Amino acid sequence: MSIFRAFLSQGHRQPLSWKARRIYTLGALLALMCMMVSGGIAGALLSTNGTALAAQLVPPSQSDFGPNVYIFNPSMPQSEIQATVDAVANQQIPNQFGTQRYALLFEPGTYGSSSNPLNFQVGYYTQVEGLGLSPNDVVINGSVDVRNQCFGSNNCIALDNFWRSLSNLSINVTTPNAGCYSGEFWAVSQAAPMRRVHVNGYTTLMDYCSGPSYASGGFIADSQFDGNVVNGSQQQFFVRNSKLNGWSNGVWNQVFSGVIGAPAQCFPAQSSCGGPYTTLATSPVTREAPYLYMDANQHYNVFVPSVQRDSSGTTWASGAASGSSIALNKFFVARPTDSVETINDAVRSGQNLILTPGVYHLDQSIQVTRPDTIVLGLGFPTLIPDNGTAAMTVASAKGVSISGMIFDAGATNSQVLLQVGDGHARSDHDASDPTALHDVFFRIGGAQSGKATTSLVVNSDNVILDDIWAWRADHGNGVGWTDNTADTGVIVNGDNVTAYGLFVEHYQKYEVIWNGNGGTDIFFQNEMPYDPPSQAAWMEAPGVDGWAAFKVGNQVTSFNGYGMGSYSFFNQGVDIYAAHAFEVPTTLPAGSLHDLLTIFLSTSGSGGILHVVNDAGGSSTSANPDTPVTIVSYP
């Protein structure tokens, strides 16, 4: 713990020149991976080219989820389970922009023991999930970890630990002989949700065992921690409807909504209460993500939780959660080889949809037209529209759920990647049965060349956005100001839309446009684009430098925001400024916005943000790097 104590002694503030060093050599990582998995059982489980795993452990007669879904049960030899999860991890930990996708599913029961624990790591595009109805139905004595990735000497960080998840199980933290890695390590960044997890023991969201240990996450919901949680270097983090037994510290923007045991409100950070913490006693309206489970007869079902209002704590604290089950035979289980026409025919005929792991190249839009349709991703299925269409459209129908997938822009520009509602018959989305998007992620460039004008458009009313990361890539393939073009990450036109955990980064104009009335955003994390080539190339209007990160439309009369941060860093060697981070009507009711901040990320950059919201608030520029500039309440 000496490294962590040293970190705390520095007042939670670290120089962030790392933001300029997020492009790494994939070749070196692949070489490292080959060394890691050569020989032994884990090596044997990999194919000769190191890109695919052996056939699924469960016979096809038991499951039809495809070869990249591994289903474990307690009767299997633990050595076999250990070898398999290690082989997946060794392949996927360095595989940031690869095409491999995996789901590791655990049937109800207990895995590992105090003397022989099950400890393993989770890499990119890997979903780890229990198949019980309650998270206490699957117990792992051990740990399920995400650690730093190391890129040379003293450059071990968690900044790019994206696209992985942990859900619906319990962990009795058991890490004998682990040395520094004693505990449950979940050092993640964006797009790495933890849901419905019960951790009995010490948890850290920072990997302090190798330096400099920077982290930039993350999202937790419907979870319980019986031991202390170390936030450590996590510059921002969002926790919703959970139970904590202790939280160590804040850095820039730690937000808690409906969390029992959360730190008290304390923004900005101050010696009397720690912080910075934005704390809401309850969440206004929530609907937890649907999930796959196995019943007592070993039949698969999908559980769809009910909507909650003004809620706190987990859905399962007092027994079975409220909701309904749908049998697996009510789902079309799609694979990447299925045509869009086949998928759409199944959905139109009344089937729900499970997308199994893989990359889906689409020649037309997947169309969700029926109320209460469930679209559930396993193992981070990735949808790429090849012809410039939307990847998916959702009709103006109530109760639709989209969860657990990546929308990846294709080489031909799409006007939108996911559209929810067509703007007509918006009253069909009634508040009693809201449509919800859970763990839905967007990517423009990075894996391959991609372009999309807008990533997500929400036209319908009463929609819940629950963990969204919209990312115009700042590193990887096809990245550049004129290469991975993208105007806006999220546009909300519907009324009474509620967002929890909204992460939107690097878009080239307004990153979020919120036009609907009665909206609420609880937690917002943004980085402005790094790469405008000149001020003239990045102007909202004549005389208005840059583009605001979050624009609330001039016609909006009611909107509430809590814990909203926008960061800047410009790396083209010239001064680039944004006049405002947030632009909102001055006619909003007093105190509509709570706990806003801006930060300039690096001493090596140029320019910055001149005002926090409208013309209020000071500047965060290269003159005051790594220093939060805050507004507690506006207007």
Side-chain angles (χ1 to χ4, degrees):
M1 291 292 288
S2 59
I3 295 176
F4 177 56
R5 289 197 184 100
F7 168 79
L8 290 181
S9 70
Q10 295 175 18
H12 321 324
R13 294 178 56 222
Q14 297 282 354
L16 294 178
S17 58
W18 44 265
K19 282 292 180 180
R21 302 196 302 269
R22 292 178 70 178
I23 302 177
Y24 304 112
T25 305
L26 183 58
L29 293 175
L30 291 175
L32 176 62
M33 179 267 291
C34 291
M35 289 187 288
M36 291 171 67
V37 302
S38 60
I41 297 174
L45 284 169
L46 292 170
S47 68
T48 56
N49 63 7
T51 61
L53 289 169
Q56 185 175 331
L57 292 175
V58 174
S61 59
Q62 256 183 276
S63 166
D64 192 28
F65 299 129
N68 286 12
V69 175
Y70 289 76
I71 301 174
F72 307 106
N73 66 65
S75 66
M76 291 179 174
Q78 185 169 323
S79 59
E80 186 175 305
I81 297 173
Q82 187 76 66
T84 303
V85 296
D86 286 348
V88 173
N90 290 337
Q91 176 178 290
Q92 294 303 106
I93 285 171
N95 199 14
Q96 183 173 0
F97 294 120
T99 59
Q100 295 76 28
R101 307 284 187 269
Y102 296 97
L104 308 179
L105 308 181
F106 290 80
E107 292 184 11
T110 299
Y111 300 81
S113 64
S114 58
S115 59
N116 186 25
L118 179 63
N119 305 107
F120 63 97
Q121 294 187 59
V122 184
Y124 287 105
Y125 312 112
T126 303
Q127 171 191 14
V128 178
E129 182 168 322
L131 289 173
L133 188 57
S134 163
N136 292 320
D137 293 339
V138 175
V139 177
I140 291 179
N141 292 305
S143 61
V144 183
D145 297 322
V146 179
R147 299 176 181 173
N148 291 335
Q149 295 190 71
C150 294
F151 308 98
S153 176
N154 197 35
N155 191 21
C156 298
I157 54 178
L159 296 175
D160 291 351
N161 284 348
F162 316 136
W163 306 308
R164 62 201 75 193
S165 66
L166 178 64
S167 60
N168 201 36
L169 49 75
S170 294
I171 299 173
N172 293 327
V173 180
T174 311
T175 51
N177 306 313
C180 181
Y181 287 103
S182 180
E184 168 64 22
F185 278 64
W186 192 251
V188 297
S189 289
Q190 296 85 356
M194 178 186 288
R195 291 183 181 272
R196 294 177 58 79
V197 174
H198 185 185
V199 182
N200 178 23
Y202 167 80
T203 301
T204 176
L205 306 177
M206 168 196 186
D207 177 358
Y208 44 75
C209 295
S210 55
S213 307
Y214 301 133
S216 177
F219 181 94
I220 293 173
D222 203 22
S223 295
Q224 177 175 326
F225 298 85
D226 293 338
N228 289 333
V229 177
V230 172
N231 176 90
S233 62
Q234 287 285 359
Q235 61 188 32
Q236 70 274 313
F237 218 94
F238 178 63
V239 185
R240 180 183 62 68
N241 289 79
S242 294
K243 184 177 181 181
L244 296 174
N245 192 45
W247 184 274
S248 67
N249 67 289
V251 178
W252 292 341
N253 190 31
Q254 276 59 36
V255 180
F256 307 87
S257 181
V259 177
I260 297 171
Q265 172 73 26
C266 181
F267 186 94
Q270 47 200 291
S271 58
S272 61
C273 53
Y277 303 133
T278 298
T279 302
L280 288 75
T282 60
S283 298
V285 55
T286 59
R287 190 168 213 167
E288 300 299 337
Y291 59 92
L292 187 70
Y293 77 96
M294 177 179 284
D295 64 23
N297 296 317
Q298 295 197 315
H299 295 148
Y300 291 105
N301 305 268
V302 170
F303 187 78
V304 182
S306 299
V307 65
Q308 296 188 104
R309 299 190 181 280
D310 301 318
S311 60
S312 64
T314 69
T315 60
W316 45 272
S318 301
S322 174
S324 58
S325 292
I326 305 174
L328 187 63
N329 62 13
K330 300 295 184 182
F331 284 81
F332 178 73
V333 180
R335 301 195 186 190
T337 52
D338 290 321
S339 69
V340 179
E341 183 178 1
T342 299
I343 293 172
N344 284 341
D345 284 347
V347 174
R348 280 192 294 265
S349 71
Q351 293 285 90
N352 299 286
L353 180 62
I354 288 177
L355 298 171
T356 60
V359 177
Y360 293 70
H361 284 274
L362 311 176
D363 58 3
Q364 57 182 301
S365 303
I366 295 175
Q367 298 175 349
V368 180
T369 57
R370 184 174 50 83
D372 297 310
T373 299
I374 307 301
V375 182
L376 176 65
L378 294 180
F380 293 88
T382 302
L383 309 183
I384 303 177
D386 289 331
N387 299 331
T389 64
M392 183 181 293
T393 61
V394 179
S396 292
K398 64 181 181 179
V400 174
S401 174
I402 312 292
S403 64
M405 61 196 66
I406 300 170
F407 290 82
D408 208 346
T412 301
N413 186 74
S414 294
Q415 288 299 308
V416 61
L417 294 177
L418 172 60
Q419 180 171 305
V420 179
D422 56 14
H424 302 290
R426 281 168 38 180
S427 62
D428 287 349
H429 276 241
D430 66 74
S432 65
D433 189 16
T435 282
L437 276 59
H438 304 280
D439 307 331
V440 174
F441 310 127
F442 302 88
R443 183 170 63 190
I444 316 294
Q448 72 281 316
S449 295
K451 303 174 187 289
T453 304
T454 305
S455 291
L456 170 64
V457 174
V458 179
N459 290 322
S460 296
D461 297 342
N462 300 302
V463 174
I464 297 171
L465 306 178
D466 194 45
D467 189 26
I468 305 294
W469 186 37
W471 183 55
R472 175 181 168 261
D474 59 277
H475 63 276
N477 299 313
V479 171
W481 187 253
T482 59
D483 296 321
N484 59 329
T485 55
D487 286 357
T488 300
V490 178
I491 298 177
V492 175
N493 295 320
D495 293 339
N496 304 317
V497 172
T498 304
Y500 302 95
L502 188 58
F503 304 77
V504 184
E505 299 190 287
H506 307 309
Y507 287 79
Q508 295 173 296
K509 294 185 179 179
Y510 294 127
E511 313 229 8
V512 174
I513 302 173
W514 201 293
N515 291 322
N517 273 307
T520 299
D521 177 72
I522 301 175
F523 182 94
F524 174 68
Q525 185 260 325
N526 163 258
E527 287 183 3
M528 291 182 171
Y530 297 160
D531 57 340
S534 67
Q535 190 70 71
W538 197 54
M539 298 280 290
E540 178 183 319
V544 182
D545 289 341
W547 292 79
F550 200 108
K551 171 72 172 179
V552 177
N554 295 333
Q555 77 286 356
V556 173
T557 59
S558 59
F559 174 84
N560 284 285
Y562 302 85
M564 304 175 73
S566 178
Y567 316 153
S568 72
F569 165 71
F570 303 105
N571 63 7
Q572 298 299 296
V574 296
D575 282 338
I576 304 291
Y577 292 98
H580 320 109
F582 302 91
E583 292 181 3
V584 306
T586 58
T587 53
L588 288 178
S592 293
L593 303 182
H594 313 259
D595 300 358
L596 309 180
L597 71 148
T598 64
I599 292 178
F600 192 79
L601 290 172
S602 173
T603 56
S604 64
S606 305
I609 300 171
L610 299 179
H611 299 283
V612 178
V613 53
N614 296 342
D615 291 330
S619 62
S620 56
T621 70
S622 54
N624 59 337
D626 192 27
T627 302
V629 177
T630 63
I631 284 185
V632 174
S633 180
Y634 186 88

